[in-house]
């Protein structure tokens, strides 16, 4: 899928077909373990759970470990933050795909307070406080580090105070509400404790601001960890600035997004990260009017990453957004694949956890039948038992009680 406007003639340029992953960058420190335990303890008091993701990787940045076993009383809203860094059409496709699984989704830009008012509307429309005059509604924001959780909390408070100032001195919207804001910055891991904030007084809205909790390490998925590192969900030095810049350059060239060529004054697209970093470092020294005999190449890689994170090198989505036909094919493949084990495959088909296939309604059409294993011999009794099992599964699908994908 081509997502950028600028195009170049690529007669002499052939991008790399694949990227060699050298390591598995991961970041999970002490305050994350404490915060995860605290979040689970406070979850019983929550009415609305706001799961914040990065819109540039809506599936890889999903914090599915904290949202796996939620109570039926908790309403979850998936927030795709930093939506200004992707194209509008792609953002709408993401939202539609997530909403098809039954999860409400919202595109926001928290740094500019865009669409944050819809969070308040969702809370008031979908949850009812047990004691509205005393306790009110309780919200909680969760997600990976540096996805914009604290910025969303601050934005909700700013909207409430701005609305109260517009309503006049008689407004009770923020009566008694403190102006204390959560710590917010582009540094991952800045929030280290679970904090409690009051958003408004009439109606009474409260919110827990939680520290970003990284996912557990998966050795068989280095690309997901690299994507999260490029999004700055962990410090750059854990993976290396040159390594992350090389992966980002590979994605630019593979997706045909060459905005970096004109932005960095290059003669054409390149696949050599050392040449690109040296070129950027030389440009920085020239802009500063300094003469440097020893150019620091890694500084150019850091500048390249920071420019893309600020949205100055084009709008690139790191995750593949499947169409409805691809989603259905993945669900059928997962259903007909035997569970992992000594006689089955080593794992299920590779599907992003954030796609949440198990929540997408009836799994398969009525005439679908899993393929039998090659070379298997079955007796008449086994075939009869299998037919009985298939009929019972079909009846369960029609009633909608459970999903056969989990089987």
């Amino acid at each position: 899928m081509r997502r950028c406007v600028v195009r170049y003639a690529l007669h002499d340029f052939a991008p790399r077909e694949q990227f060699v992953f050298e390591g598995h960058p991961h970041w999970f420190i002490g305050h994350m373990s404490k915060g995860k335990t605290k979040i689970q303890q406070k979850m019983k008091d929550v009415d609305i759970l706001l799961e914040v993701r990065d819109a540039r990787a809506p599936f890889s940045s999903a914090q599915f470990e904290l949202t796996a076993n939620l109570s039926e009383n908790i309403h979850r809203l998936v927030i795709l933050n930093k939506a200004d860094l992707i194209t509008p059409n792609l953002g709408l496709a993401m939202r539609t795909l997530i909403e098809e699984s039954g999860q409400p989704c919202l595109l926001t830009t928290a740094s500019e307070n865009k669409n944050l008012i819809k969070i308040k509307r969702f809370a008031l429309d979908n949850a009812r406080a047990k004691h509205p005059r005393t306790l009110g509604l309780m919200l909680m924001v969760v997600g990976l580090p540096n996805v914009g959780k604290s910025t969303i909390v601050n934005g909700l408070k700013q909207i409430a105070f701005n609305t109260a100032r517009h309503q006049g001195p008689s407004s009770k919207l923020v009566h008694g509400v403190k102006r204390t804001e959560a710590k917010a910055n582009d540094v991952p891991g800045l929030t280290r404790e679970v904090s409690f904030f009051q958003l408004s007084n009439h109606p009474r809205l409260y919110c827990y601001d939680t520290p970003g909790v990284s996912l557990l390490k998966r050795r068989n998925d280095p690309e997901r960890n690299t994507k999260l590192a490029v999004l700055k969900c962990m410090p750059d030095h854990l993976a290396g600035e040159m390594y992350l810049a090389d992966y980002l350059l590979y994605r630019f060239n593979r997706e045909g997004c060459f905005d970096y060529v004109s932005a960095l004054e290059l003669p054409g697209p390149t696949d050599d990260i050392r040449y690109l970093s040296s070129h950027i470092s030389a440009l920085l020294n020239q802009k500063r009017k300094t003469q440097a005999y020893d150019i620091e190449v890694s500084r150019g890689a850091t500048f390249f990453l920071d420019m893309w994170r600020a949205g100055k090198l084009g709008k690139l989505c790191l995750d593949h957004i499947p169409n409805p036909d691809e989603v259905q094919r993945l669900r059928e493949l997962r259903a007909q694949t035997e569970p992992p084990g000594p006689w089955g495959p080593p794992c299920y088909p590779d599907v992003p956890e954030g796609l949440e296939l198990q929540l997408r309604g009836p799994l398969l059409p009525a005439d679908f039948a899993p393929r039998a294993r090659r070379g298997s011999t079955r007796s008449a009794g086994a075939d009869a038992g299998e037919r009985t099992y298939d009929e019972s599964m079909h009846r369960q699908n029609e009633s909608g009680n459970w999903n056969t994908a989990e089987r």
Side-chain angles (χ1 to χ4, degrees):
M1 181 184 300
R2 305 301 183 190
R3 306 182 180 91
C4 295
V5 178
V6 179
R7 294 288 184 271
Y8 289 86
L10 304 179
H11 300 294
D12 300 330
F13 177 73
R16 285 173 287 178
E17 297 181 357
Q18 61 181 2
F19 182 82
V20 180
F21 295 96
E22 300 176 353
H24 300 260
H26 187 253
W27 190 49
F28 195 94
I29 53 181
H31 80 268
M32 296 183 183
S33 179
K34 296 179 182 178
K36 190 174 183 179
T37 303
K38 195 72 172 179
I39 290 172
Q40 294 172 350
Q41 293 175 354
K42 297 293 184 180
M43 196 71 73
K44 64 180 183 298
D45 303 328
V46 175
D47 300 310
I48 302 293
L49 184 68
L50 308 177
E51 182 195 353
V52 186
R53 305 181 185 180
D54 196 312
R56 294 168 294 179
F59 305 132
S60 298
S61 61
Q63 181 36 285
F64 53 86
E65 295 175 356
L66 293 177
T67 61
N69 300 313
L70 292 180
S71 173
E72 297 180 356
N73 300 326
I74 300 178
H75 300 270
R76 178 161 70 108
L77 175 63
V78 177
I79 299 177
L80 300 181
N81 194 28
K82 306 178 183 180
D84 59 321
L85 301 179
I86 59 173
T87 59
N89 292 337
L90 192 60
L92 293 177
M94 295 176 186
R95 188 183 66 182
T96 302
L97 192 60
I98 294 176
E99 288 179 344
E100 286 179 354
S101 65
Q103 292 297 331
C105 182
L106 182 64
L107 294 167
T108 64
T109 304
S111 59
E112 301 175 2
N113 292 344
K114 289 185 178 180
N115 276 353
L116 294 186
I117 189 62
K118 295 182 180 180
I119 298 177
K120 176 184 175 181
R121 296 173 185 171
F122 175 83
L124 297 177
D125 294 342
N126 293 272
R128 180 173 298 178
K130 298 179 181 179
H131 307 283
R133 293 186 177 181
T134 56
L135 297 181
L137 288 178
M138 199 72 65
L139 286 70
M140 175 183 284
V141 290
V142 297
L144 299 179
N146 205 26
V147 293
K149 300 181 297 299
S150 300
T151 307
I152 289 177
V153 175
N154 295 337
L156 291 173
K157 296 195 70 171
Q158 291 174 7
I159 292 175
F161 277 100
N162 293 338
T163 305
R165 185 170 60 252
H166 178 73
Q167 292 177 352
S170 60
S171 175
K172 298 182 180 180
L173 181 61
V174 292
H175 179 71
V177 179
K178 298 181 179 180
R179 290 184 174 268
T180 306
E181 293 186 350
K183 296 180 181 179
N185 204 336
D186 60 349
V187 178
L190 183 64
T191 303
R192 293 178 173 267
E193 296 180 354
V194 177
S195 305
F196 183 75
F197 296 93
Q198 183 177 1
L199 303 180
S200 64
N201 179 62
H202 187 75
R204 289 184 178 271
L205 290 178
Y206 302 89
C207 186
Y208 285 111
D209 183 28
T210 64
V213 180
S214 299
L215 299 170
L216 297 179
K217 191 172 185 178
R218 292 175 57 183
R219 298 291 299 182
N220 60 339
D221 194 0
E223 186 170 8
R224 185 196 69 179
N225 299 333
T226 305
K227 290 178 182 178
L228 297 180
V230 171
L231 296 175
K232 207 172 183 179
C233 294
M234 62 184 74
D236 291 340
H237 70 271
L238 294 178
E241 292 81 358
M242 292 292 292
Y243 177 76
L244 298 180
D246 190 22
Y247 176 75
L248 181 59
L249 180 62
Y250 159 74
R251 292 301 304 268
F252 273 140
N253 294 332
R254 194 185 73 172
E255 301 295 335
C257 183
F258 302 111
D259 290 355
Y260 71 91
V261 177
S262 57
L264 300 176
E265 302 177 9
L266 288 168
T270 180
D271 233 345
D272 188 354
I273 187 58
R274 295 194 64 84
Y275 163 73
L276 178 63
S277 300
S278 301
H279 175 79
I280 295 175
S281 299
L283 282 179
L284 293 177
N285 291 330
Q286 184 179 1
K287 297 294 183 182
R288 296 174 182 176
K289 297 181 180 180
T290 59
Q291 184 177 3
Y293 297 97
D294 186 13
I295 298 178
E296 187 178 356
V297 179
S298 61
R299 188 177 63 173
T302 304
F303 186 80
F304 181 61
L305 290 170
D306 292 340
M307 284 194 68
W308 176 74
R309 290 164 179 168
K312 299 179 180 179
L313 295 181
K315 298 182 178 182
L316 174 68
C317 180
L318 299 180
D319 280 349
H320 171 66
I321 309 302
N323 56 43
D325 295 335
E326 290 180 289
V327 174
Q328 182 64 20
R329 182 180 60 82
L330 288 172
R331 296 171 68 233
E332 293 180 0
L333 182 62
R334 189 178 180 92
Q336 69 185 9
T337 303
E338 298 181 4
W343 295 281
C347 61
Y348 279 115
D350 187 15
V351 178
E353 295 288 348
L355 194 55
E356 299 181 352
L357 290 181
Q358 70 277 9
L359 300 178
R360 296 181 177 271
L363 179 64
L364 300 173
D367 56 347
F368 177 80
R371 292 177 296 183
R373 185 185 299 178
R374 295 181 180 180
S376 61
T377 57
R378 300 178 181 271
S379 60
D383 293 338
E386 188 180 65
R387 287 194 298 272
T388 304
Y389 176 74
D390 291 339
E391 292 174 358
S392 64
M393 296 279 280
H394 178 59
R395 288 195 297 270
Q396 291 285 354
N397 284 338
E398 291 181 340
S399 61
N401 291 335
W402 55 300
N403 194 325
T404 54
E406 298 179 357
R407 306 294 293 180

